[in-house]
Structures are given as structure tokens and as C-alpha cells.
Amino acid sequence: MTANPNANWTRLCNKTDLVQHSGVAALYEGQQVALFYIPGYQEEVYAIGNQDPFSGANVLARGLIGDLGGEIMVASPLYKQHFSLSSGQCLEDPETRVPVWPVRLNGEQVEILQA
């Protein structure tokens, strides 16, 4: 995800709070965010909503990440739907998506773009 480098970024957590090739949950403006850190990938950090829209549970940060047809995605740990980490789109249901936030590493800090 490309964002204006002069936009208003805010610190979300430290890079050391992330787990390589996995997800962690963070709280941003009262909303749970699932952060995924994939070192060496095109975008190393992704931020999507943590709530699985099918179950209503905040579990997407615990899902397995992978590549499905060239799309970097997370599989929900409950009902196994796949969500694009780039767009938030559910790959099995075009009517369903989760929120996505621009996020970046800035030195040792993880920053999210303020809405």
C-alpha cells in the first residue's frame, strides 16, 4: 500500500512488539487492528481489522498468513475464510471485506496513517 510520505503518521507500537511471519493485535482509536510482519516481502507490515466479519470474533491476528494465487492473505482461524492483507477483501466472498490501514516501519517504530 502506497501512502503520501508527508501524511500524518502516528506511532502504533515498537517493531519489537511484532512477531516475524505472524500477526499481533493492537488497539488504534478504540478499534482492534491485526498487524502482520513479513520481513523481506514487498510491504513488510500490513494492518487490517482484527474482527472476523463471519464470526464477529477478534481473531484475525491469530490467523495463518500465506500466498493464495499471488495474493498475500490471512486465513481466519475460525471459519477459514481468506482475507487479502493488501485490500482486506474476503477472497471467497466479494461482498465482504475488513478495514485496511496504511502502516509502515519507521526505524524501530510501527506507524499507522491517521484517518
Side-chain angles (χ1 to χ4, degrees):
M1 178 176 291
T2 304
N4 178 349
N6 299 320
N8 199 10
W9 294 90
T10 188
R11 182 186 169 280
L12 186 60
C13 63
N14 293 321
K15 183 178 176 182
T16 56
D17 296 325
L18 302 176
V19 179
Q20 290 188 18
H21 307 288
S22 187
V24 299
L27 194 60
Y28 174 66
E29 295 186 343
Q31 201 168 10
Q32 287 197 25
V33 175
L35 292 170
F36 297 93
Y37 178 40
I38 309 167
Y41 203 74
Q42 306 163 358
E43 303 279 336
E44 289 191 318
V45 183
Y46 295 87
I48 65 172
N50 193 32
Q51 187 175 56
D52 178 343
F54 293 97
S55 67
N58 290 308
V59 295
L60 291 182
R62 296 182 180 191
L64 295 175
I65 57 174
D67 183 305
L68 191 60
E71 184 73 38
I72 187 77
M73 59 81 204
V74 61
S76 172
L78 293 180
Y79 298 128
K80 312 304 182 204
Q81 285 89 1
H82 302 97
F83 296 91
S84 166
L85 295 182
S86 299
S87 68
Q89 179 67 52
C90 175
L91 301 181
E92 290 82 15
D93 182 353
E95 302 294 318
T96 304
R97 71 175 49 231
V98 295
V100 175
W101 289 268
V103 65
R104 71 180 183 185
L105 292 175
N106 186 10
E108 292 301 310
Q109 296 187 351
V110 178
E111 296 178 332
I112 192 166
L113 188 62
Q114 290 182 328

